[in-house]
Amino acid sequence: MNVALESPEMLLLIIPVIIAGFYLLRKTKTKLVEWRMLVAFLLVLALAAPYTTVTQTISEEDPSLVLVLDRTESMNLFPEDTGTGLYEALTADTPTTLVQLTGEKTSLGDAVVQYSGLGNQIVLVTDGNNNDGKDLEEALRFARDADTPVYLVQPELETNDLSVEVLGDKTVVVDNQNEFEIVVRQASEQSVSYLLEVSVDGIVTPERFSQDTRNNTILINQTFTTLGAHNLSVKITPSGEDFNKSNNEFYKSFYVIPKPKITLVTADSSSPLASILGNLYEVSVVNDYSGAGNITDSKALVLDDQIIGNFSEAEMKEIKNYVSNGGGLIVVGGDKAYNYGKYLNSSLEDVLPVVSKPSEFKGGRKLVLVLDISPSTAAHGTLGDILSNAIFILRNDNLKDANVGIIAFGSVGYDVSEGFLYMGLPQNLALLEDKIEQLIPSEESETSLDQGLAVTKEMLEGEDGELDAIIISDGGIEDSYDASLEAAKELQDMGVNLYFVHIRSSAPSQADQTRTLYAEKLMQELGLQNNYLHIDMEERANIVFEDTVATPEDEGEEPEDPGTYMLLEYSPDHFITKSVNLTTNITGYNQVTPKAGAERLVITVTGQPVLTTWRFGLGRVAAFSTDNGDGNTRWASALYNGSNSRLISGMANWAIGNPQAEEGAVVEALDTWLGTPSDLTLIMYDEGIPQLKLDGTQIDLALTGRNTYEASVNPDEIGIHDISGYPLAVNYPLEYRGVGLNNDIKPLILSTGGEIYTEKEARAFLLKDARQNSEREATEPVSLKVYVLLAALLLYLGEVLVRRIREMRKLKQAQGETGAEEAGA
């Protein structure tokens, strides 16, 4: 038991007690002084207020709930009384606050943030389509960090609805082919058909489509041959059930600009790289940088397979200043660049996001998640935490280059993922998350961890690189302990790093008669006690995965022998890669290592960086560490053909940033939704009076920077509007874009410790789950002052009693001696 003091400064009073005690001892030399000194010590200790702490399990029979009832317009697809009966049932049994959302905007995120961390538990009765205020995913993460369980009650869809949207850039380059996505969404998953009419500047093209999925993406290509404002509209006419007609038409505006100027320094002006850039931009091609002239007139500088000796220090300084001030830089590899071109420790390398040293690739990481789905996980309420922890681990950024497998076990173990899946592809991550969410407890009563580890061994046998296995369980492994220990030792002998995430629960089979936890004992016997994580329900295990790719090796190491290397999108959501679906290989690359702060976008299947980016000052830099598709090396010829070439155009567009020429008056304003303002920016590069009109009405502009003016515009009609020659599209309210249930938030709901129900299930189980979630261990101080005072009192009374007994004995003895003397007389 740990004892502490509330007022330790009171112990200073012991000093005068000691001084007075020693003084009295020298004067009287009686035991009475010692007794009184001890009593005084105890009284001083009581003044210091000693206390200890005890851990108690606190459970609220009537937990405080906040029911957020979504009655916004998107909920018209569901029964009108959704959530009403649930609120009445909850408020009859426990304190329940009702929060209603109405109108044409849904701010679920704001409601979650507002009521998190106040001792509440939050119930969302909604379709999950958040379109205003705080992002819902961020809000749910906030609730998780604030230990606030959030429950999702999903209503039953009553009618179907379809919506349409067009995705793509607004600012486009003249004579370039642009690809746009038409996204048709439906609330249900039934088979629907519709007529799609695409109108470009008034020319209509009809075509019929059908779909049986929630979302359907239709790609269209469009080239604009004249500068200035253009528009596109799409309209769907469903042949079946469709609740709302207003979201069946979508407008998109375009502003077509001249081709941006870029400078290409290359000795191979006929390469595939030069050909693609020449088709897309106004390219100035020079053999040597010294002939490039004033590069500040260019939006980007491309250095193709250039050796560092081709540049003077003055030119390096000029390039560095150019990028710092906002210019784009692309450095393309080859047999004269990077590790072959003596870039290491050069002035050029200061600007680059990579170091021209090889990266040691350790074979990648193979990770197996071993998930306990035995009946005890449902009986003791840990299943949701086990699955949520698995999803939380999968989303770790350092697992993006890992191959992951999922094993589940009850009485038997089985492969859920059907082998390893590469986490660099978002569809694989989504697939594993979906498989994890659908796991249900097995019917058998045993928790046979050894069976799960046996399947793990089969999956990892013959694999190289870093091998990890993470067990996530409630720790009820009593019956399978010995077999599990042997299976774990076999994995350890294979070089597998084992972790055990133990979810604390009331499962009796997690500890022996001496209260020793089997899970902890297992890891101790393996010598892996540091890999044992004992966490409470609702908590998430923080396992640190180190990057397995970028470890610098010796400077002189040569590349591997020529072979074929499949390319993978390491960061598929980046501007450059989000519209690219790489389906090609390369036969070579330059040896580079990404710097801290750089972002790998494309890697080989062996983990070597091929496209790495970062920001340098105001500019953007891309290190493309393979060649131009031609010349002596011919490493990447296939990258410049077909749809793979989008990587090259995307890389150039990203480096360019704003493609508009810095001259005249430049206007920018994103298309918007009815009721949602659009922020407008006007930059005056030439002298003149800043003046803009929206459909003929003057716009009030505010000066916000040097020659920069801003305004907020909010047209009240759907359609294409004119801002002094610049187009602005306004579409149906954002509330009507997302239709049906949003299933993307389910993992985050589970990660808060909450559950997902139908309305019927919520009436049966929600309050029970909320009561269970209200159970928490609290550490409370317990004062020991009364015990110290009682000891002082007993000591004082004991001393008085002993003294009185002695006095009475002396008195009787004296009386006896007096009586004897009188009798003798």
Side-chain angles (χ1 to χ4, degrees):
M1 181 176 66
N2 295 323
V3 178
L5 301 173
E6 286 185 22
S7 306
E9 67 278 1
M10 299 303 293
L11 293 179
L12 295 174
L13 294 175
I14 291 177
I15 297 174
V17 171
I18 293 174
I19 294 173
F22 278 112
Y23 176 78
L24 293 174
L25 281 172
R26 292 180 63 185
K27 291 289 186 181
T28 61
K29 295 182 180 181
T30 65
K31 292 288 185 180
L32 176 62
V33 175
E34 295 177 1
W35 281 75
R36 295 294 170 87
M37 283 183 66
L38 186 54
V39 171
F41 287 156
L42 290 173
L43 292 175
V44 170
L45 182 59
L47 289 174
Y51 70 93
T52 187
T53 56
V54 295
T55 300
Q56 296 179 337
T57 299
I58 299 175
S59 177
E60 295 181 32
E61 183 63 24
D62 299 320
S64 178
L65 302 180
V66 176
L67 190 145
V68 180
L69 183 55
D70 185 356
R71 292 193 180 280
T72 57
E73 294 299 317
S74 67
M75 291 291 290
N76 289 333
L77 305 181
F78 306 92
E80 186 177 355
D81 61 348
T82 295
T84 302
L86 175 62
Y87 170 69
E88 292 173 352
L90 290 175
T91 197
D93 294 323
T94 193
T96 305
T97 301
L98 178 63
V99 177
Q100 296 194 66
L101 307 179
T102 59
E104 288 191 338
K105 292 184 178 180
T106 307
S107 52
L108 292 169
D110 289 347
V112 170
V113 170
Q114 180 179 353
Y115 292 100
S116 293
L118 302 174
N120 299 315
Q121 299 186 51
I122 301 173
V123 182
L124 301 179
V125 183
T126 178
D127 57 7
N129 293 310
N130 186 75
N131 51 56
D132 187 55
K134 187 76 173 178
D135 180 78
L136 182 56
E137 292 189 0
E138 291 182 13
L140 289 172
R141 292 189 185 97
F142 177 82
R144 180 190 64 200
D145 295 340
D147 294 326
T148 302
V150 181
Y151 308 90
L152 176 62
V153 180
Q154 293 186 314
E156 184 176 351
L157 190 66
E158 198 170 49
T159 183
N160 198 18
D161 188 37
L162 280 77
S163 72
V164 65
E165 181 184 14
V166 181
L167 303 177
D169 295 332
K170 176 167 184 171
T171 302
V172 296
V173 175
V174 68
D175 293 329
N176 284 359
Q177 181 173 284
N178 303 280
E179 184 177 81
F180 304 101
E181 296 180 356
I182 300 174
V183 181
V184 180
R185 302 177 176 91
Q186 68 160 328
S188 70
E189 293 185 1
Q190 61 184 272
S191 180
V192 296
S193 64
Y194 44 86
L195 177 68
L196 173 66
E197 297 174 276
V198 180
S199 174
V200 180
D201 292 333
I203 301 176
V204 181
T205 304
E207 189 173 355
R208 183 163 290 279
F209 291 88
S210 62
Q211 70 183 72
D212 55 10
T213 57
R214 291 286 303 275
N215 297 338
N216 183 32
T217 300
I218 302 164
L219 301 178
I220 60 171
N221 294 301
Q222 181 63 42
T223 301
F224 297 100
T225 58
T226 58
L227 301 177
H230 293 265
N231 64 79
L232 178 151
S233 66
V234 298
K235 181 180 179 181
I236 57 172
T237 306
S239 59
E241 185 180 50
D242 182 40
F243 179 81
N244 185 13
K245 305 299 181 184
S246 67
N247 55 1
N248 292 165
E249 191 167 8
F250 193 91
Y251 297 90
K252 185 165 183 60
S253 67
F254 303 96
Y255 194 70
V256 182
I257 62 171
K259 292 189 175 186
K261 297 178 181 179
I262 67 174
T263 298
L264 171 62
V265 181
T266 181
D268 190 0
S269 59
S270 61
S271 69
L273 171 69
S275 177
I276 289 177
L277 296 180
N279 289 333
L280 296 175
Y281 313 104
E282 183 180 332
V283 182
S284 173
V285 181
V286 295
N287 292 329
D288 190 89
Y289 180 79
S290 60
N294 185 8
I295 62 171
T296 57
D297 293 335
S298 295
K299 286 287 184 176
L301 171 66
V302 182
L303 304 179
D304 175 22
D305 198 22
Q306 297 294 300
I307 195 167
I308 203 67
N310 291 346
F311 301 88
S312 67
E313 279 304 312
E315 290 170 338
M316 284 288 98
K317 184 177 180 180
E318 182 178 84
I319 292 173
K320 193 171 185 178
N321 290 336
Y322 166 75
V323 177
S324 296
N325 292 325
L329 175 64
I330 301 173
V331 179
V332 180
D335 58 4
K336 299 183 183 65
Y338 294 107
N339 53 316
Y340 295 120
K342 298 183 179 180
Y343 287 9
L344 187 63
N345 299 324
S346 68
S347 299
L348 178 60
E349 195 174 74
D350 291 343
V351 184
L352 296 179
V354 296
V355 178
S356 295
K357 283 184 176 182
S359 294
E360 177 194 5
F361 186 65
K362 300 178 181 177
R365 173 180 276 109
K366 305 293 191 307
L367 169 65
V368 179
L369 297 181
V370 188
L371 309 183
D372 183 357
I373 59 166
S374 58
S376 67
T377 63
H380 302 287
T382 56
L383 180 65
D385 286 277
I386 290 171
L387 303 185
S388 298
N389 266 282
I391 291 173
F392 178 78
I393 290 170
L394 285 181
R395 294 180 174 180
N396 189 299
D397 284 342
N398 280 343
L399 292 184
K400 283 170 37 176
D401 61 347
N403 292 282
V404 175
I406 307 293
I407 303 296
F409 70 91
S411 289
V412 296
Y414 64 95
D415 182 357
V416 175
S417 58
E418 299 179 352
F420 286 108
L421 290 179
Y422 176 66
M423 289 295 95
L425 301 177
Q427 58 266 36
N428 287 347
L429 175 60
L431 178 62
L432 286 187
E433 289 184 357
D434 185 59
K435 286 178 178 288
I436 290 171
E437 289 172 11
Q438 295 182 35
L439 290 174
I440 58 175
S442 62
E443 296 180 358
E444 297 84 356
S445 60
E446 292 86 359
T447 304
S448 301
L449 172 60
D450 59 307
Q451 297 298 314
L453 295 180
V455 181
T456 302
K457 179 184 176 183
E458 293 176 7
M459 182 176 282
L460 289 173
E461 275 182 330
E463 299 291 345
D464 56 7
E466 182 163 340
L467 308 180
D468 299 307
I470 302 175
I471 304 162
I472 310 179
S473 169
D474 64 1
I477 59 173
E478 178 180 7
D479 294 337
S480 65
Y481 178 81
D482 292 334
S484 298
L485 179 60
E486 291 304 313
K489 286 180 178 178
E490 291 179 6
L491 286 171
Q492 201 173 21
D493 291 341
M494 291 169 53
V496 179
N497 303 315
L498 276 170
Y499 299 83
F500 202 123
V501 178
H502 181 186
I503 311 293
R504 185 179 280 111
S505 75
S506 56
S509 57
Q510 63 183 317
D512 61 17
Q513 294 179 349
T514 63
R515 297 187 179 181
T516 299
L517 297 171
Y518 287 110
E520 186 175 16
K521 180 182 177 183
L522 176 77
M523 298 302 284
Q524 287 175 346
E525 291 203 43
L526 295 171
L528 298 174
Q529 51 269 25
N530 291 336
N531 290 0
Y532 172 71
L533 291 84
H534 197 190
I535 63 175
D536 291 321
M537 287 192 287
E538 303 178 22
E539 289 185 349
R540 299 294 166 255
N542 184 23
I543 298 177
V544 178
F545 298 98
E546 297 200 355
D547 199 322
T548 60
V549 174
T551 303
E553 276 293 307
D554 293 336
E555 177 181 344
E557 183 177 321
E558 291 297 319
E560 302 173 10
D561 292 334
T564 300
Y565 309 96
M566 185 173 71
L567 294 183
L568 300 171
E569 297 166 39
Y570 187 78
S571 298
D573 294 328
H574 191 275
F575 173 88
I576 296 175
T577 53
K578 67 180 179 181
S579 61
V580 177
N581 183 21
L582 288 177
T583 58
T584 188
N585 303 327
I586 60 174
T587 59
Y589 50 83
N590 293 99
Q591 295 278 0
V592 297
T593 298
K595 294 178 181 177
E599 186 173 6
R600 283 176 290 169
L601 304 186
V602 177
I603 62 174
T604 67
V605 72
T606 57
Q608 301 296 336
V610 172
L611 177 57
T612 312
T613 63
W614 76 351
R615 301 295 292 266
F616 186 86
L618 300 177
R620 306 177 180 201
V621 184
F624 191 57
S625 46
T626 190
D627 70 0
N628 62 18
D630 203 358
N632 296 326
T633 53
R634 294 182 179 273
W635 289 337
S637 300
L639 254 181
Y640 296 86
N641 296 321
S643 61
N644 293 311
S645 64
R646 293 177 187 167
L647 182 69
I648 309 304
S649 58
M651 176 175 63
N653 287 335
W654 177 82
I656 287 170
N658 182 0
Q660 295 203 54
E662 297 180 359
E663 57 187 21
V666 175
V667 179
E668 288 186 359
L670 294 177
D671 291 346
T672 189
W673 312 85
L674 189 67
T676 302
S678 175
D679 294 329
L680 177 151
T681 301
L682 169 65
I683 301 177
M684 300 291 295
Y685 290 105
D686 298 337
E687 293 184 2
I689 300 174
Q691 184 173 322
L692 291 176
K693 293 183 178 181
L694 172 61
D695 297 331
T697 301
Q698 191 77 31
I699 299 175
D700 293 330
L701 297 169
L703 181 65
T704 58
R706 183 181 178 184
N707 300 325
T708 301
Y709 301 83
E710 294 182 1
S712 180
V713 294
N714 192 10
D716 56 5
E717 292 184 5
I718 294 175
I720 303 293
H721 297 263
D722 175 73
I723 304 176
S724 299
Y726 184 86
L728 177 71
V730 177
N731 286 290
Y732 56 80
L734 185 56
E735 176 74 11
Y736 303 116
R737 179 182 65 176
V739 290
L741 298 174
N742 177 12
N743 292 319
D744 293 340
I745 63 172
K746 286 184 176 181
L748 285 170
I749 291 290
L750 295 176
S751 74
T752 68
E755 297 290 343
I756 300 165
Y757 314 95
T758 63
E759 188 167 4
K760 183 178 179 180
E761 290 171 340
R763 293 194 194 188
F765 304 114
L766 194 152
L767 184 56
K768 175 184 175 183
D769 292 340
R771 283 171 176 160
Q772 184 170 328
N773 275 333
S774 71
E775 290 184 0
R776 64 185 188 278
E777 289 188 350
T779 301
E780 297 182 353
V782 176
S783 177
L784 301 177
K785 185 189 298 185
V786 64
Y787 302 106
V788 177
L789 290 173
L790 182 60
L793 178 61
L794 291 175
L795 190 62
Y796 175 75
L797 293 176
E799 177 268 323
V800 171
L801 183 61
V802 168
R803 183 161 49 85
R804 292 295 297 166
I805 290 172
R806 287 177 178 175
E807 289 176 352
M808 290 175 65
R809 286 178 178 174
K810 288 180 180 180
L811 181 60
K812 288 181 178 180
Q813 185 178 2
Q815 290 175 347
E817 291 175 353
T818 303
E821 289 176 0
E822 290 177 353

